[in-house]
Amino acid sequence: MNEPEALGAFAALSQETRLRVVRLLVQAGPEGMAAGAIGEALGGATTSRLSFHLTHLEHAGLIQSRREGRFIIYSAVFPTLAGLIEFLMRDCCDGHPEICAPVAAALSCSC
């Protein structure tokens, strides 16, 4: 990931609803969630408001959508999220891996 892509991703994540959507979709895993279920999980977000935020996240490459019958399913784009973390950590530790150890431990998946 390059700096302009990272800036776009961070800009998209800098809004509360969008950050909550991404965290929700990360929890949902690759299967994703229907737009209606996302709205319900966010406390009944209006369709137009949710659509605006989902579009913003999709343009930033953080989520993707697919149609399944009548439903639009959204899911996190895990390679992009990993790229964002890698962008932040690229120059970490300057030869001192103990500095980055807490970050690496926090990223360990316990699933």
Side-chain angles (χ1 to χ4, degrees), residues 27-42:
Q27 290 173 358
E31 305 82 35
M33 293 178 73
I38 295 169
E40 288 176 22
L42 295 177

Side-chain angles (χ1 to χ4, degrees), residues 1-10 87:
M1 177 171 290
N2 60 37
E3 189 171 285
E5 291 168 331
L7 286 170
F10 284 124
F87 174 82

